[in-house]
Amino acid sequence: MAKGKEKRGRVTLECTDCVQNRVNNKKKKSPGIYRYLTQKNPKNTPSTLELRKFCPYCHKHTIHREIKE
């Protein structure tokens, strides 16, 4: 018999450079913080997810970390 599908949770990844720049440079206007939406199986990867992705606001590849919603 086939097992039922495991629940894959929706995860939001946030750019770490945008967050640091926004906190440190409050006078300088930032276009925002870029976020990616993806899925993750919590059974296989219980730790927080970190992926290197492109951020259009920073114009470079940066580390994006999982955040709580």
Side-chain angles (χ1 to χ4, degrees), residues 21-39:
N21 289 341
R22 192 166 192 170
V23 170
N24 295 338
N25 301 330
K26 288 190 177 180
K27 292 178 184 175
K28 191 175 184 181
K29 287 225 174 185
S30 174
I33 297 172
Y34 198 73
R35 294 180 174 172
Y36 280 99
L37 289 177
T38 186
Q39 292 180 348

Side-chain angles (χ1 to χ4, degrees), residues 2 5 17 27 30 36 58 60 69:
K5 285 192 174 184
D17 282 358
K27 292 178 184 175
S30 174
Y36 280 99
C58 299
K60 59 184 177 181
E69 284 189 46

Side-chain angles (χ1 to χ4, degrees), residues 13-26 28-36 53-65:
L13 302 175
E14 187 175 69
C15 177
T16 55
D17 282 358
C18 288
V19 172
Q20 290 172 356
N21 289 341
R22 192 166 192 170
V23 170
N24 295 338
N25 301 330
K26 288 190 177 180
K28 191 175 184 181
K29 287 225 174 185
S30 174
I33 297 172
Y34 198 73
R35 294 180 174 172
Y36 280 99
K53 296 191 138 302
F54 182 78
C55 177
Y57 296 139
C58 299
H59 301 289
K60 59 184 177 181
H61 283 87
T62 58
I63 296 176
H64 287 67
R65 285 198 183 104

